[in-house]
């Protein structure tokens, strides 16, 4: 950070003391499940992560829309790391304003991201309370092993308004939960042979072979060595080599069972091996990508987050800032995590979403599971069945990610009841989606009791099978389900299409959505049946119904590999 001259320091001290405070983010209460454990000790140390406003997010957005919209002159001419940095880095005025504030208050900021948009400062709770008109408290949650330090309100001194974008930890409340829901755990399927999608088979269990049949996914190995598919891993979910080898032996006997994935780490992440270390989400995501994207190099990014006040929001930030510093990034990234949008807070959700915008501009297809709680959130919760106010899921509803819902059955495929979808309360509907949303809203009956934001970004964008997937977890073959299975399936298909595009001397798909809602829509089977009331809520609970065209359960539908490839090649 820049050093400030002493006279500036003195003038700022006076200003801080006299200056007005502007409320930056606040909430009336912590979300259900969090319990107050008293005020945070005044002298305990807090590590604040601070996002400084990027200098030209709207310019980056315009550029990304041009790069990703079929027919534009710079279609798929993805930007370099340095080109993206020129939009994302804070302006010199913003850096100077924060440095002046920091030095006036004896703080020593460290830049923690390659684009300079995130800094970290460590200070006592008492000072944080004073500087940001906060009231830090300790909160517990039954699903958290540690307590967390949060405040229900955070303000900025006037001279930081327009310069400081996000402060963490402040009003973010994210309970930890991973996604893959075992449907029938513990069944011994060791004797099974790979099945194909056949509605006459009583179990209807999904394997890579089944998905290859259903969507026409090729088994011929990819040839492009730089076309990497990245799987993100959070919340100490570790991917197991032994489980992958067993999965391949059982379900892809046609490829070497030694086929594996590379491990990357950030924020002190690790990937220990052994049955006790197995993570059901990490295992499932790695098995599906390696098992479906035949021959595509798969990387597993294990994000640590040693700081006790970290949470999913900072893990998502750690992922984008890690990739901001990778010169040759993956071409596809799949993530099976998220939570209801409101738990992130507005500034954090927008900042994370802008991080995906930047990755999209570099040619990375950012793919997310849409969530497993139907219209009422990321996870299933019986107590919410009668709630008519729908709860959108983030990052699935960020307009710069491709979010993937779930289907099940083969004749025809129907949208799963747990497939999350709806409309954001933070992000307006992007232009690429406005016609699709308008057509869907017309299908909703006049007496519809559900309440949702009619101006919001609709999600998911696409869907694939997501129920009754065979996986190997801690040495056991189990059956799992959820949009966590759909996201790696769709990401694998995109990675295989990129392989064929690169082999033909063409550019990779990058940010997908403007293509998916225009010429790419010919590569999908429309899903027209389904009601996403949730996994446990009765079908009578108010929810959306699948419809002809895009709908907020199944998106534009499920992929048809040959048609999607043809549309991708045609420019
Ligand atoms: C922001 O980016 C756009 C390109 O999309 C450019 O035209 C504009 O000049 C940039 N604005 C600033 C202030 O750098
Ligand atoms: C589907 O399964 C049934 C019962 O196992 C079998 O008779 C039928 O031939 C299978 N069909 C296909 C297309 O594999
Ligand atoms: C990683 O671990 C080191 C040593 O324990 C610690 O100093 C550092 O703060 C950690 N970094 C993160 C991002 O957690
Ligand atoms: C939802 O409403 C129905 C009908 O009013 C009622 O029978 C049911 O107990 C309610 N469920 C919950 C979880 O509150
Ligand atoms: C609805 O979404 C828009 C963004 O599209 C947002 O500005 C507005 O605040 C949202 N309304 C509610 C009630 O959340
Ligand atoms: C939701 O779908 C799953 C999978 O088909 C099914 O097992 C479950 O019974 C359904 N839930 C309800 C409430 O119908």
């Amino acid at each position: 950070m820049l050093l400030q001259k002493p006279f500036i320091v003195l003038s700022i001290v006076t200003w801080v003391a006299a200056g007005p405070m502007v409320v930056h983010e606040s909430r009336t209460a912590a979300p259900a499940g969090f319990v107050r454990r008293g005020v945070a000790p005044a002298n305990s140390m807090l590590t604040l992560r601070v996002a400084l406003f990027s200098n030209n997010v709207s310019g980056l957005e315009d550029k990304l829309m041009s790069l990703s919209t079929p027919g534009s002159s710079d279609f798929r001419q993805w930007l370099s790391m340095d080109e993206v940095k020129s939009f994302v880095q804070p302006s010199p005025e913003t850096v100077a304003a924060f440095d002046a504030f920091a030095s006036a208050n004896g703080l020593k900021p460290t830049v923690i991201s390659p684009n300079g948009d995130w800094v970290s400062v460590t200070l006592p709770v008492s000072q944080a309370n004073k500087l940001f008109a906060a009231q830090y408290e300790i909160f517990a949650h039954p699903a958290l092993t540690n307590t967390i330090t949060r405040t229900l309100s955070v303000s900025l001194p006037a001279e930081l308004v327009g310069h400081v974008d996000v402060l963490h930890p402040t009003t973010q409340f994210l309970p930890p939960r991973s996604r893959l829901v075992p449907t029938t755990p513990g069944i011994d399927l060791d004797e099974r042979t790979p099945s194909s999608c056949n509605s006459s088979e009583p179990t209807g269990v999904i394997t890579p072979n089944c998905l290859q049949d259903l969507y026409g996914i090729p088994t011929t190995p990819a040839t492009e060595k730089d076309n990497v598919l990245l799987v993100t891993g959070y919340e100490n979910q570790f991917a197991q080599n032994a489980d992958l080898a067993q999965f391949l032996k059982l379900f892809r006997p046609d490829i070497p069972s030694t086929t594996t994935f590379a491990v990357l780490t950030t924020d002190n992440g690790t990937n220990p091996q052994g049955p006790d270390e197995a993570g059901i989400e990490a295992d499932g995501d790695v098995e599906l990508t390696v098992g479906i994207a035949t021959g595509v190099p798969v990387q597993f990014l294990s994000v640590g987050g040693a700081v006790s006040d970290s949470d999913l929001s900072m893990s998502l930030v750690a992922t984008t800032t890690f990739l901001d510093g990778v010169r040759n990034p993956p071409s596809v990234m799949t993530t099976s995590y998220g939570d209801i949008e409101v738990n992130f807070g507005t500034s954090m959700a927008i900042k994370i979403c802008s991080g995906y915008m930047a990755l999209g501009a570099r040619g990375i297809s950012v793919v997310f599971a849409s969530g497993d709680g139907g219209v009422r959130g990321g996870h299933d919760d019986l107590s919410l069945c009668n709630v008519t106010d729908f709860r959108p899921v983030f990052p699935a509803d960020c307009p710069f990610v491709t979010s993937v819902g779930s289907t099940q059955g083969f004749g025809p495929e129907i949208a799963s009841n747990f497939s999350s979808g709806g409309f954001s309360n933070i992000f307006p509907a992007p232009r690429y989606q406005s016609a699709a949303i308008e057509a869907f809203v017309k299908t909703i009956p006049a007496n519809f009791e559900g309440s949702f934001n009619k101006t919001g970004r609709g999600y998911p964008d696409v869907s694939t099978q997501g129920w009754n997937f065979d996986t190997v977890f801690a040495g056991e073959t189990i059956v799992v389900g959820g949009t966590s299975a759909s996201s790696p399936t769709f990401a694998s298909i995109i990675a295989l299409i990129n392989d064929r595009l690169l082999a033909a001397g063409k550019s990779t798909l990058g940010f997908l959505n403007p293509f998916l809602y225009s010429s790419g829509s010919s590569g999908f089977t429309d899903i027209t049946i389904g009601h996403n009331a949730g996994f446990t809520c009765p079908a009578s609970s108010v929810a959306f119904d699948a419809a002809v065209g895009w709908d907020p359960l199944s998106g534009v539908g499920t992929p048809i590999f040959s048609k999607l490839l043809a549309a991708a090649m045609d420019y």
Side-chain angles (χ1 to χ4, degrees), residues 8-30:
I8 295 185
V9 171
L10 289 176
S11 68
I12 293 290
V13 167
T14 326
W15 222 83
V16 166
M21 299 295 285
V22 178
V23 175
H24 183 60
E25 197 106 52
S26 71
R27 56 169 76 240
T28 48

Side-chain angles (χ1 to χ4, degrees), residues 408 414 416-418 467 534-539:
Q408 59 194 84
I414 63 163
S416 299
N417 55 17
F418 57 80
W467 188 240
F535 185 74
T536 44
C537 292

Side-chain angles (χ1 to χ4, degrees), residues 196 198-201:
S196 63
N198 180 343
S199 50
S200 321
E201 281 181 10

